[in-house]
Amino acid sequence: MHVKNIVVGAGYAGATLARRIAEEKGEPVLVVERHDHIAGHAYDHYNEHGILVHKYGPHIFHTTDKAVWDFLSRFTEWHLYQHRVLSYVDGMLVPMPISAETVNMLYNLGLSAPQVEAWLAEHAEKVPEIRNSEDVVLSKAGRDIYEKFFKNYTFKQWDKYPAELSPDVIKRIPVRANRDTRYFTDRYQGLPRRGYTEMFRGLLAHPLISVMLQTDWFAVKKELTWDRLYFTGPVDRYFEYSEGPILYRSVRFEYETVFGKEFVQEAGTVNYPNDYDFTRVTEYKRLTGQTALDRTTVAREYSSAEGEPFYIVPDEANLALAKKYAALAAAEPNTRFLGRLAESRYYNMDQVVARVLGLAL
Ligand code: FAD
Ligand code: UDP
């Protein structure tokens, strides 16, 4: 069978691509997806207790890019949620990222925002050159905050200390001197009102788009020919690991539904840098806004080297390996590699959409 356009993967990269090709070029697209569902790692579903949960970990949409927000808003209304995270440190639940509130609670101070700015400057270490993720925190907030919030969380998450990881990892988390305790400060934030999967259903609902689920590309590609291929899965798998396997981290989720209570924790997510083996606990109803239920589901996250690849490990050797694959990808005829694992980039959802919306098709 001959197909003009094939998209491998029905996540953000694949679904946005398929929609653009169908709408803007008026050409048919076949989307091939390995899993039995659309929406990639943003997939959500109702569990056996009627609670909407995210199968691959908590996903909060946030962007500063109006074009991305407007594009997705064609397919969903939004529950205008702003994420808050608390970190369990020294027996207290304190706001994360570090803000004036965190410093005041942790050290029992009553400082104003400008005073916190001075406090941070006084405690920050002089780092002549930011070479890794440890340097990032030391240079902004100093060693005590580094040790309490970042060192052990990062080790649990990556099986590496911040000194072994690219600065970009911890640069994701700001240090603020003001009182803003939101996790993200982007202008547009929320969750699709009826869930991510429903939003993807709308995105893929076009007469020129067909979706084949439970189909591994490598099992069916011999039966097809095509003009253009768009690949959004792991790049090393595509090239049959010719340069060696890229290291990925996965996460195992342990779910618990508690009955007779509306909520069990004070924020959407609580991080546990120094206690327990899990990194964080998310209470889904806080994110989705689901109400009027006498039960609530939480998910504890255990980071792991095994399982579905989620994150590329951002150390020097692994990033160098990813570069080799990027060079192979760039030379592959009639094929484009797009998305988090295809491009080995720590993209958020909106960045994947922005990347695909910005392409010349
Ligand atoms: P994916 O969603 O991974 O989609 C790729 C698809 O390709 C998958 O469905 C996969 O099954 C399919 N595929 C792979 N190989 C094959 C094959 N051989 N044949 C057929 N199909 C194949 N981002 C945010 O913006 N906010 C958040 O709060 C947030 N939280 C996150 C929490 C966790 C735990 C994780 C892991 C990620 C989080 N992200 C978050 C990032 C977000 O998940 C990604 O940015 C986004 O899902 C990437 O989309 P994608 O299309 O590149 O990849
Ligand atoms: N991080 C940390 N302590 C925290 C939160 C984050 O050390 O309480 C570090 C950790 O290395 C983590 C990175 O910052 O992997 C990025 O955090 P983010 O919340 O963006 O991770 P994600 O949601 O992508 O898993």
Side-chain angles (χ1 to χ4, degrees):
M1 192 171 88
H2 185 82
V3 189
K4 250 184 155 44
N5 301 284
I6 293 180
V7 170
V8 179
Y12 273 96
T16 308
L17 267 165
R19 187 80 196 192
R20 279 200 65 199
I21 294 165
E23 272 184 356
E24 294 173 32
K25 298 180 90 179
E27 290 180 0
V29 195
L30 174 66
V31 179
V32 178
E33 169 57 53
R34 189 165 64 83
H35 285 306
D36 63 358
H37 59 73
I38 57 172
H41 285 155
Y43 172 70
D44 55 11
H45 66 104
Y46 287 88
N47 69 11
E48 68 270 39
H49 307 297
I51 311 265
L52 183 59
V53 296
H54 301 172
K55 180 168 182 188
Y56 304 99
H59 279 69
I60 297 98
F61 192 85
H62 57 101
T63 190
T64 55
D65 189 333
K66 181 164 163 47
V68 168
W69 181 257
D70 288 347
F71 174 73
L72 293 176
S73 298
R74 291 174 52 201
F75 311 106
T76 189
E77 291 176 359
W78 298 92
H79 164 57
L80 298 176
Y81 169 75
Q82 306 233 343
H83 196 40
R84 290 189 197 265
V85 175
L86 296 171
S87 189
Y88 184 69
V89 167
D90 291 351
M92 284 183 283
L93 287 169
V94 292
M96 186 72 189
I98 307 298
S99 66
E101 302 297 323
T102 318
V103 170
N104 281 329
M105 276 180 79
L106 195 67
Y107 300 103
N108 199 18
L109 301 168
L111 304 179
S112 65
Q115 286 170 320
V116 170
E117 188 145 14
W119 187 97
L120 288 168
E122 190 187 309
H123 288 78
E125 290 188 8
K126 300 259 171 303
V127 181
E129 191 199 345
I130 307 289
R131 288 155 312 160
N132 56 52
S133 271
E134 178 177 309
D135 292 344
V136 173
V137 187
L138 291 181
S139 68
K140 290 186 191 168
R143 190 159 296 274
D144 198 47
I145 283 181
Y146 167 73
E147 304 256 341
K148 287 187 158 104
F149 291 87
F150 293 94
K151 184 178 171 188
N152 299 326
Y153 184 101
T154 296
F155 190 75
K156 269 198 234 175
Q157 169 70 15
W158 301 103
D159 198 26
K160 291 185 189 296
Y161 285 106
E164 301 170 80
L165 298 174
S166 146
D168 295 341
V169 179
I170 282 183
K171 266 196 202 152
R172 290 171 61 84
I173 315 292
V175 173
R176 303 184 187 129
N178 64 26
R179 312 201 99 91
D180 193 340
T181 57
R182 292 172 302 167
Y183 204 60
F184 308 111
T185 54
D186 295 351
R187 180 176 181 117
Y188 306 101
Q189 304 189 34
L191 275 77
R193 192 179 285 284
R194 293 190 300 130
Y196 288 98
T197 308
E198 278 303 306
M199 179 178 79
F200 272 77
R201 238 186 274 292
L203 193 47
L204 290 164
H206 189 286
L208 289 170
I209 302 177
S210 339
V211 182
M212 280 171 76
L213 295 178
Q214 287 183 285
T215 307
D216 190 312
W217 169 243
F218 301 102
V220 297
K221 68 177 208 181
K222 278 199 218 76
E223 291 153 41
L224 295 163
T225 54
W226 56 90
D227 291 349
R228 276 169 303 276
L229 177 72
Y230 300 86
F231 186 81
T232 75
V235 65
D236 56 345
R237 168 75 182 88
Y238 180 94
F239 290 106
E240 296 175 346
Y241 308 104
S242 64
E243 311 299 307
I246 292 178
L247 291 186
Y248 297 108
R249 291 300 280 176
S250 190
V251 180
R252 180 172 65 78
F253 301 97
E254 189 180 271
Y255 291 92
E256 186 185 356
T257 299
V258 178
F259 294 88
K261 283 193 174 165
E262 201 183 351
F263 291 111
V264 291
Q265 67 182 31
E266 285 172 37
T269 298
V270 177
N271 289 358
Y272 290 87
N274 309 310
D275 300 87
Y276 310 111
D277 294 335
F278 44 84
T279 49
R280 59 186 179 188
V281 181
T282 295
E283 182 165 28
Y284 277 106
K285 280 169 64 186
R286 294 226 177 251
L287 274 51
T288 59
Q290 208 179 349
T291 51
L293 286 174
D294 60 345
R295 65 207 106 114
T296 181
T297 300
V298 295
R300 289 183 270 274
E301 296 184 33
Y302 295 84
S303 178
S304 146
E306 268 99 55
E308 167 102 7
F310 281 174
Y311 303 86
I312 174 168
V313 175
D315 69 3
E316 218 168 286
N318 209 36
L319 293 175
L321 180 58
K323 259 200 182 153
K324 288 193 192 167
Y325 281 110
L328 291 177
E332 189 73 353
N334 307 326
T335 307
R336 278 171 130 160
F337 294 78
L338 291 154
R340 183 146 148 148
L341 299 182
E343 297 181 84
S344 308
R345 301 282 293 272
Y346 199 158
Y347 284 140
N348 292 323
M349 297 183 275
D350 65 312
Q351 294 171 306
V352 175
V353 177
R355 170 88 176 97
V356 174
L357 291 183
L359 280 183
L361 284 181

